């Protein structure tokens, strides 16, 4: 019988022996902002799958934990002055993680036909950030589960739920991580998270049910999404799931496949930010799509440039207070 007891939080000192890592170097053909590219996959400040000990520009290391098709892997990245990225990996998925590293750092992201001159501000942000790349994880279900958690709740709630479930039901990361880190559960693990644990983590029932139901079809979803020819075909795969809409599909496409054109329609803030950055005024989803239309094929790239260029609308009031349903 599967235990439903939430594991105790582990001690910070890892008693397990640390095996020697696999190591490699990646020399991108074009300069890459490694910090920004990898951090785009992060789920909040306390994500148990991500850590950064300083900036790579000043000798820091980025740590990323994932559950690969070959098993759990811990990846440590350090950049050199000439743009080379040195990588070390631990765990049964170490070889897969090193092979996938170029994709994570945007090697498959091709901005060659991106015409930034269609808007003067976009052209300026593109000039300032020529090393901006959209990476991909190739881990479909993890991206889908994270996106579902972020539906219709504040980022703080979603990130807290991700941290709790991954820590309780994931797997301790191998290697000399700077603090205890964890890989997400496998698909069966997501499927068997008990209802009370979702509740304790602060995730609302519609989101938890959607993740569990998606996990029942997890393998077929992954295969269909990978086989899909383009973003629209992947939308059809994801939206076929009850509880998954265009926003969740777009977020999954961005993380798992590095889709340079995906737009998260229905986001609470995105349309306002795009409108403000490109016109100086807020807009709605229809207005956002109209503004981004000249950049079709690279709409997500423009959104990334807006955030990289810090062209964001100033806050006019207090943050939305998270609703805690756990006392109901």
């Amino acid at each position: 019988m599967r235990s439903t007891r939430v594991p105790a939080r582990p001690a910070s000192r890892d008693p397990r022996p640390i095996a020697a890592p696999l190591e490699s170097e990646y020399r991108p053909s074009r300069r890459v902002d490694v910090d920004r590219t990898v951090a785009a996959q992060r789920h909040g400040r306390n994500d148990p799958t991500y850590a950064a000990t300083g900036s790579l520009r000043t000798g820091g290391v980025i740590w990323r934990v994932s559950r690969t098709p070959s098993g759990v892997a811990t990846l440590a990245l350090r950049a050199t002055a000439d743009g080379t990225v040195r990588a070390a990996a631990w765990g049964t998925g170490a070889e897969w993680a090193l092979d996938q590293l170029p994709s994570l750092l945007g090697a498959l992201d091709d901005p060659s036909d991106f015409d930034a001159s269609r808007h003067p501000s976009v052209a300026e942000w593109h000039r300032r950030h020529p090393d901006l790349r959209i990476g991909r994880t190739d881990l479909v279900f993890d991206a889908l589960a994270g996106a579902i958690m972020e539906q219709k709740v504040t980022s703080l709630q979603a990130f807290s739920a991700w941290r709790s479930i991954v820590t309780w039901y994931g797997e301790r990361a191998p290697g000399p991580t700077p603090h205890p880190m964890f890989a997400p559960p496998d698909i069966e693990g997501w499927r068997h998270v008990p209802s009370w644990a979702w509740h304790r983590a602060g995730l609302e029932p519609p989101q938890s049910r959607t993740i569990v139901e998606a996990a029942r079809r997890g393998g077929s979803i992954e295969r269909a999404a990978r086989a899909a020819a383009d973003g629209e075909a992947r939308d059809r795969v994801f939206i076929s799931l009850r509880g998954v809409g265009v926003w969740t599909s777009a977020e999954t496409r961005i993380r798992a496949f590095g889709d340079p054109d995906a737009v998260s329609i229905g986001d609470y803030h995105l349309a306002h930010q795009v409108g403000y950055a490109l016109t100086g005024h807020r807009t709605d989803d229809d207005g956002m799509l109209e503004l981004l239309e000249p950049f079709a094929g690279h709409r997500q790239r423009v959104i990334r440039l807006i955030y990289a260029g810090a062209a964001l609308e100033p806050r006019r009031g207090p943050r939305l207070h998270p609703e805690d349903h756990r006392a109901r």
Side-chain angles (χ1 to χ4, degrees):
M1 178 181 295
R2 178 182 292 269
S3 171
T4 58
R5 181 178 63 86
V6 173
R9 185 173 295 276
S12 59
R13 186 180 185 87
D14 190 347
R16 300 170 300 173
I18 298 174
L22 297 181
E23 297 181 299
S24 72
E25 288 189 348
Y26 170 53
R27 295 178 176 84
S29 59
R30 298 167 297 187
R31 179 75 66 165
V32 178
D33 185 337
V34 179
D35 283 300
R36 190 184 301 276
T37 304
V38 181
Q41 301 291 345
R42 186 180 188 180
H43 296 272
R45 293 182 59 187
N46 297 309
D47 184 352
T49 71
Y50 178 97
T53 56
S55 168
L56 292 186
R57 295 183 179 87
T58 57
V61 177
I62 288 178
W63 297 83
R64 172 173 162 77
V65 182
S66 57
R67 183 176 294 279
T68 79
S70 301
V72 174
T74 298
L75 188 64
L77 305 177
R78 187 190 300 272
T80 62
D82 65 358
T84 299
V85 180
R86 293 178 178 170
W90 294 260
T92 55
E95 185 173 356
W96 187 95
L98 292 176
D99 288 344
Q100 197 271 341
L101 177 61
S103 296
L104 179 67
L105 297 183
L108 300 179
D109 180 32
D110 182 10
S112 59
D113 63 343
F114 173 52
D115 184 4
S117 68
R118 292 177 178 272
H119 191 286
S121 295
V122 175
E124 176 61 17
W125 302 323
H126 187 50
R127 185 190 67 79
R128 293 180 186 177
H129 301 281
D131 53 1
L132 185 145
R133 298 288 176 267
I134 303 175
R136 55 187 286 167
T137 67
D138 295 297
L139 300 172
V140 178
F141 198 84
D142 286 353
L144 177 60
I148 293 170
M149 283 190 181
E150 295 172 17
Q151 294 174 347
K152 301 178 182 179
V153 298
T154 67
S155 295
L156 289 176
Q157 286 173 290
F159 295 155
S160 176
W162 170 267
R163 179 174 68 251
S164 296
I165 296 299
V166 170
T167 302
W168 297 339
Y169 293 96
E171 185 174 338
R172 181 73 178 264
T177 57
H179 55 257
M181 297 178 67
F182 296 83
D186 60 15
I187 291 176
E188 280 299 296
W190 284 111
R191 179 181 175 184
H192 287 96
V193 173
S195 59
W196 62 265
W198 295 112
H199 186 76
R200 180 180 173 186
L203 195 70
E204 296 187 5
Q207 283 72 53
S208 61
R209 283 196 300 267
T210 299
I211 293 174
V212 172
E213 290 181 11
R216 294 194 179 103
R217 297 170 51 192
S220 62
I221 293 167
E222 290 192 323
R223 289 189 295 271
R226 292 191 182 106
D230 54 27
E232 289 186 3
R234 288 181 176 129
D235 271 343
R236 290 193 290 272
V237 171
F238 296 131
I239 294 173
S240 70
L241 300 167
R242 186 172 68 169
V244 173
V246 292
W247 184 93
T248 305
S249 179
E251 290 291 309
T252 305
R253 286 162 50 198
I254 293 165
R255 288 181 181 272
F257 298 106
D259 191 325
D261 195 48
V263 180
S264 302
I265 299 169
D267 191 274
Y268 186 76
H269 298 289
L270 183 60
H272 297 165
Q273 298 292 8
V274 171
Y276 180 83
L278 299 184
T279 70
H281 304 283
R282 284 189 170 198
T283 189
D284 57 13
D285 281 336
D286 289 339
M288 172 179 67
L289 293 175
E290 184 177 348
L291 290 170
L292 294 175
E293 177 59 29
F295 304 99
H298 295 276
R299 295 177 299 176
Q300 178 60 210
R301 191 180 315 283
V302 172
I303 292 168
R304 293 282 180 97
L305 286 170
I306 288 171
Y307 281 87
L312 305 180
E313 181 183 29
R315 292 189 179 275
R316 299 178 180 178
R319 290 178 180 269
L320 181 67
H321 182 70
E323 180 182 2
D324 191 343
H325 70 280
R326 287 173 289 186
R328 293 176 186 170

